[in-house]
Amino acid sequence: MREPKPYWREVPQELREQIVEIVGSPIRRATRVFGGYGPSATFRIFLEDGKTIFAKGAGKGSISGNWDAIPNEEFVYQNINAIQSISPSYFGSVSVDGWHLLLLEDLGGTKKVPPWSEKLGMQAVRDIASFHLRGISEGTKVEILDGDGIADNWNTIKNNHDEWNCFLELFQEDRVEAESWLDSVIDVLMMAEKELLLRDQPWGLIHTDIRSDNLRFRNGNLVLFDWALVRRGPLMFDVGFFFPSVEGEGGPLAESLLSEYLKVMKDGGISFPSYSAKCVAASTAGFFASRAGKPVIPPLPRLRQVQRLQLGPALRWACSVLELPTPPKLNFNL
């Protein structure tokens, strides 16, 4: 099932004229583009001069999250220098009543993942590390990462009967074994996730939502988009939240990706305390554990699917780095 997205024919003429003024060419045609998991307005626009651009934003049918995200992303494209070498080119924005679109470089001809390879996974974390090194000095330009819903999920699962059951239902016939496992590990996971926002670790500019549908590879290098959730926070969070996506899609494990990331950061003069990976692994696993079993959200019909995809790898990594017993196998259909 796909997200409900507006058609190009629904875009007001006034907005189309604004686009033409910015790009300097008449529009020949445009098509909807599907990707991500929300009902945003996304189009590939074909110009009379033979070029294409990508337009994304909020329009007919968009939810409040789309409307909140676009001004934030627009600010990042206009004001954050550290993203320039790792993001699509930004051409400007257009808006009329009920519509707000960003005009970006079209990445339609670039390489998508999955499938992942060891080479692509390593290149991704190297480029993320380089972005982190560049962005340290610009962290104060954006809001601080809020720990609500990120550093408290295992606590919520433990202290809320419905949340506890919702998570355990993901194990189906292995529920009894899973509950025994959860009883034995949850206090450790809770303590670890509480350390996520400690300030005696490297902080800086972070994307906060890196996964395969938010990236491409152009000429062998990583290109990240969907910059609406950029925050100032612990750098390790960015890659830790990314690792289960790669593993869940058949790519390299978190351990090898983390090793490469730490190497690049160390070469750039940045080292991490030992607890950084532990708290990020715990909080990442808690994030997906508290969401993967919830009912489908109608405007976001595929969101639970991708959360379930990442939950298994996130649990595996958290238990590995915290030296905890491995949970039984999750049992659900993607």
Short mmCIF file of all heavy atoms in Angstrom, two decimals, residues 157-183:
data_model
loop_
_atom_site.label_atom_id
_atom_site.label_comp_id
_atom_site.label_asym_id
_atom_site.label_seq_id
_atom_site.Cartn_x
_atom_site.Cartn_y
_atom_site.Cartn_z
N ILE A 157 8.19 0.77 28.27
CA ILE A 157 7.79 -0.62 28.10
C ILE A 157 7.69 -1.33 29.45
O ILE A 157 6.73 -2.08 29.71
CB ILE A 157 8.78 -1.35 27.17
CG1 ILE A 157 8.61 -0.85 25.73
CG2 ILE A 157 8.59 -2.87 27.23
CD1 ILE A 157 9.68 -1.35 24.77
N LYS A 158 8.62 -1.08 30.33
CA LYS A 158 8.62 -1.75 31.63
C LYS A 158 7.44 -1.31 32.50
O LYS A 158 6.84 -2.13 33.22
CB LYS A 158 9.92 -1.48 32.38
CG LYS A 158 9.96 -2.16 33.75
CD LYS A 158 11.27 -1.98 34.47
CE LYS A 158 11.25 -2.70 35.81
NZ LYS A 158 12.54 -2.58 36.53
N ASN A 159 7.09 -0.05 32.41
CA ASN A 159 6.13 0.51 33.36
C ASN A 159 4.72 0.70 32.78
O ASN A 159 3.86 1.28 33.44
CB ASN A 159 6.65 1.86 33.88
CG ASN A 159 7.88 1.69 34.74
OD1 ASN A 159 7.82 1.09 35.81
ND2 ASN A 159 9.01 2.17 34.24
N ASN A 160 4.49 0.21 31.58
CA ASN A 160 3.18 0.32 30.97
C ASN A 160 2.77 -1.07 30.47
O ASN A 160 3.41 -1.63 29.58
CB ASN A 160 3.20 1.33 29.82
CG ASN A 160 1.84 1.55 29.21
OD1 ASN A 160 1.23 0.64 28.67
ND2 ASN A 160 1.35 2.79 29.27
N HIS A 161 1.72 -1.61 31.07
CA HIS A 161 1.31 -2.98 30.77
C HIS A 161 1.00 -3.16 29.28
O HIS A 161 1.39 -4.18 28.68
CB HIS A 161 0.07 -3.33 31.61
CG HIS A 161 -0.46 -4.71 31.38
ND1 HIS A 161 0.18 -5.84 31.86
CD2 HIS A 161 -1.56 -5.15 30.70
CE1 HIS A 161 -0.51 -6.92 31.50
NE2 HIS A 161 -1.56 -6.53 30.80
N ASP A 162 0.32 -2.19 28.68
CA ASP A 162 -0.03 -2.30 27.26
C ASP A 162 1.21 -2.29 26.37
O ASP A 162 1.28 -3.04 25.38
CB ASP A 162 -0.97 -1.17 26.86
CG ASP A 162 -2.36 -1.31 27.49
OD1 ASP A 162 -2.71 -2.43 27.89
OD2 ASP A 162 -3.07 -0.29 27.60
N GLU A 163 2.17 -1.42 26.72
CA GLU A 163 3.42 -1.36 25.94
C GLU A 163 4.20 -2.67 26.07
O GLU A 163 4.78 -3.16 25.08
CB GLU A 163 4.27 -0.18 26.41
CG GLU A 163 3.65 1.19 26.20
CD GLU A 163 3.79 1.67 24.77
OE1 GLU A 163 4.60 1.08 24.02
OE2 GLU A 163 3.08 2.63 24.40
N TRP A 164 4.24 -3.19 27.26
CA TRP A 164 4.92 -4.47 27.51
C TRP A 164 4.33 -5.58 26.63
O TRP A 164 5.06 -6.30 25.94
CB TRP A 164 4.77 -4.79 29.00
CG TRP A 164 5.39 -6.08 29.47
CD1 TRP A 164 4.83 -7.33 29.46
CD2 TRP A 164 6.69 -6.24 30.06
NE1 TRP A 164 5.68 -8.25 30.01
CE2 TRP A 164 6.83 -7.62 30.39
CE3 TRP A 164 7.72 -5.37 30.36
CZ2 TRP A 164 7.97 -8.13 31.00
CZ3 TRP A 164 8.86 -5.89 30.98
CH2 TRP A 164 8.99 -7.24 31.28
N ASN A 165 3.02 -5.68 26.64
CA ASN A 165 2.35 -6.72 25.86
C ASN A 165 2.49 -6.49 24.35
O ASN A 165 2.63 -7.45 23.58
CB ASN A 165 0.87 -6.80 26.24
CG ASN A 165 0.66 -7.48 27.58
OD1 ASN A 165 1.41 -8.36 27.96
ND2 ASN A 165 -0.37 -7.06 28.31
N CYS A 166 2.43 -5.23 23.95
CA CYS A 166 2.54 -4.90 22.53
C CYS A 166 3.88 -5.37 21.97
O CYS A 166 3.95 -5.94 20.88
CB CYS A 166 2.37 -3.41 22.33
SG CYS A 166 2.35 -2.90 20.60
N PHE A 167 4.94 -5.16 22.73
CA PHE A 167 6.26 -5.61 22.29
C PHE A 167 6.33 -7.13 22.26
O PHE A 167 6.79 -7.73 21.28
CB PHE A 167 7.33 -5.03 23.21
CG PHE A 167 8.71 -5.57 22.97
CD1 PHE A 167 9.33 -5.42 21.74
CD2 PHE A 167 9.40 -6.25 23.97
CE1 PHE A 167 10.60 -5.94 21.50
CE2 PHE A 167 10.67 -6.76 23.75
CZ PHE A 167 11.26 -6.61 22.51
N LEU A 168 5.86 -7.79 23.31
CA LEU A 168 5.97 -9.24 23.39
C LEU A 168 5.12 -9.95 22.34
O LEU A 168 5.45 -11.08 21.93
CB LEU A 168 5.60 -9.71 24.79
CG LEU A 168 6.60 -9.35 25.89
CD1 LEU A 168 6.08 -9.80 27.25
CD2 LEU A 168 7.97 -9.96 25.62
N GLU A 169 4.06 -9.32 21.86
CA GLU A 169 3.23 -9.93 20.83
C GLU A 169 4.02 -10.15 19.53
O GLU A 169 3.65 -10.99 18.70
CB GLU A 169 2.01 -9.05 20.55
CG GLU A 169 0.91 -9.15 21.58
CD GLU A 169 0.33 -10.56 21.70
OE1 GLU A 169 0.08 -11.18 20.65
OE2 GLU A 169 0.17 -11.05 22.85
N LEU A 170 5.11 -9.43 19.36
CA LEU A 170 5.93 -9.58 18.16
C LEU A 170 6.66 -10.93 18.13
O LEU A 170 7.19 -11.32 17.09
CB LEU A 170 6.96 -8.45 18.08
CG LEU A 170 6.38 -7.05 17.81
CD1 LEU A 170 7.42 -5.99 18.08
CD2 LEU A 170 5.88 -6.96 16.37
N PHE A 171 6.69 -11.62 19.27
CA PHE A 171 7.36 -12.92 19.34
C PHE A 171 6.39 -14.08 19.19
O PHE A 171 6.82 -15.23 19.09
CB PHE A 171 8.12 -13.04 20.67
CG PHE A 171 9.24 -12.05 20.82
CD1 PHE A 171 9.01 -10.80 21.36
CD2 PHE A 171 10.52 -12.38 20.41
CE1 PHE A 171 10.04 -9.88 21.49
CE2 PHE A 171 11.57 -11.47 20.55
CZ PHE A 171 11.32 -10.20 21.09
N GLN A 172 5.10 -13.81 19.22
CA GLN A 172 4.03 -14.79 19.02
C GLN A 172 4.25 -16.06 19.84
O GLN A 172 4.21 -16.01 21.07
CB GLN A 172 3.87 -15.07 17.53
CG GLN A 172 3.38 -13.84 16.78
CD GLN A 172 3.03 -14.11 15.34
OE1 GLN A 172 2.94 -15.24 14.88
NE2 GLN A 172 2.81 -13.04 14.60
N GLU A 173 4.51 -17.23 19.20
CA GLU A 173 4.57 -18.48 19.96
C GLU A 173 5.78 -18.54 20.91
O GLU A 173 5.84 -19.39 21.79
CB GLU A 173 4.60 -19.70 19.03
CG GLU A 173 5.80 -19.78 18.11
CD GLU A 173 5.51 -19.21 16.74
OE1 GLU A 173 4.61 -18.36 16.64
OE2 GLU A 173 6.18 -19.62 15.78
N ASP A 174 6.75 -17.65 20.72
CA ASP A 174 7.90 -17.59 21.63
C ASP A 174 7.73 -16.53 22.71
O ASP A 174 8.69 -16.10 23.33
CB ASP A 174 9.18 -17.31 20.83
CG ASP A 174 9.57 -18.46 19.93
OD1 ASP A 174 9.34 -19.61 20.33
OD2 ASP A 174 10.10 -18.21 18.84
N ARG A 175 6.49 -16.12 22.93
CA ARG A 175 6.24 -15.03 23.86
C ARG A 175 6.73 -15.34 25.28
O ARG A 175 7.31 -14.48 25.94
CB ARG A 175 4.74 -14.70 23.89
CG ARG A 175 4.43 -13.58 24.88
CD ARG A 175 2.95 -13.42 25.15
NE ARG A 175 2.77 -12.55 26.30
CZ ARG A 175 2.27 -11.32 26.23
NH1 ARG A 175 1.92 -10.81 25.07
NH2 ARG A 175 2.14 -10.60 27.32
N VAL A 176 6.49 -16.56 25.77
CA VAL A 176 6.90 -16.91 27.13
C VAL A 176 8.41 -16.79 27.27
O VAL A 176 8.93 -16.21 28.23
CB VAL A 176 6.42 -18.33 27.51
CG1 VAL A 176 7.02 -18.74 28.85
CG2 VAL A 176 4.90 -18.38 27.56
N GLU A 177 9.13 -17.33 26.30
CA GLU A 177 10.59 -17.22 26.31
C GLU A 177 11.03 -15.77 26.19
O GLU A 177 11.97 -15.33 26.87
CB GLU A 177 11.18 -18.03 25.16
CG GLU A 177 12.70 -18.03 25.12
CD GLU A 177 13.23 -18.76 23.90
OE1 GLU A 177 12.44 -19.37 23.16
OE2 GLU A 177 14.46 -18.69 23.67
N ALA A 178 10.32 -15.00 25.36
CA ALA A 178 10.66 -13.59 25.18
C ALA A 178 10.44 -12.79 26.46
O ALA A 178 11.23 -11.89 26.80
CB ALA A 178 9.84 -13.00 24.04
N GLU A 179 9.37 -13.11 27.18
CA GLU A 179 9.11 -12.38 28.42
C GLU A 179 10.17 -12.67 29.46
O GLU A 179 10.60 -11.78 30.21
CB GLU A 179 7.72 -12.73 28.95
CG GLU A 179 7.32 -11.88 30.15
CD GLU A 179 5.82 -11.86 30.37
OE1 GLU A 179 5.13 -12.81 29.92
OE2 GLU A 179 5.33 -10.89 30.97
N SER A 180 10.61 -13.91 29.52
CA SER A 180 11.70 -14.26 30.43
C SER A 180 12.97 -13.50 30.06
O SER A 180 13.67 -12.98 30.94
CB SER A 180 11.95 -15.76 30.39
OG SER A 180 13.06 -16.11 31.19
N TRP A 181 13.26 -13.44 28.76
CA TRP A 181 14.43 -12.66 28.30
C TRP A 181 14.29 -11.20 28.65
O TRP A 181 15.23 -10.58 29.17
CB TRP A 181 14.57 -12.83 26.79
CG TRP A 181 15.53 -11.84 26.19
CD1 TRP A 181 16.90 -11.91 26.16
CD2 TRP A 181 15.18 -10.59 25.56
NE1 TRP A 181 17.42 -10.80 25.55
CE2 TRP A 181 16.39 -9.97 25.17
CE3 TRP A 181 13.97 -9.95 25.29
CZ2 TRP A 181 16.41 -8.73 24.54
CZ3 TRP A 181 13.99 -8.72 24.66
CH2 TRP A 181 15.21 -8.13 24.29
N LEU A 182 13.11 -10.63 28.39
CA LEU A 182 12.90 -9.20 28.65
C LEU A 182 13.06 -8.89 30.14
O LEU A 182 13.67 -7.88 30.51
CB LEU A 182 11.51 -8.79 28.16
CG LEU A 182 11.17 -7.30 28.22
CD1 LEU A 182 12.18 -6.47 27.44
CD2 LEU A 182 9.77 -7.06 27.69
N ASP A 183 12.52 -9.75 30.99
CA ASP A 183 12.68 -9.56 32.44
C ASP A 183 14.16 -9.51 32.83
O ASP A 183 14.55 -8.75 33.71
CB ASP A 183 12.01 -10.72 33.20
CG ASP A 183 10.53 -10.49 33.43
OD1 ASP A 183 10.13 -9.33 33.62
OD2 ASP A 183 9.77 -11.47 33.40
#
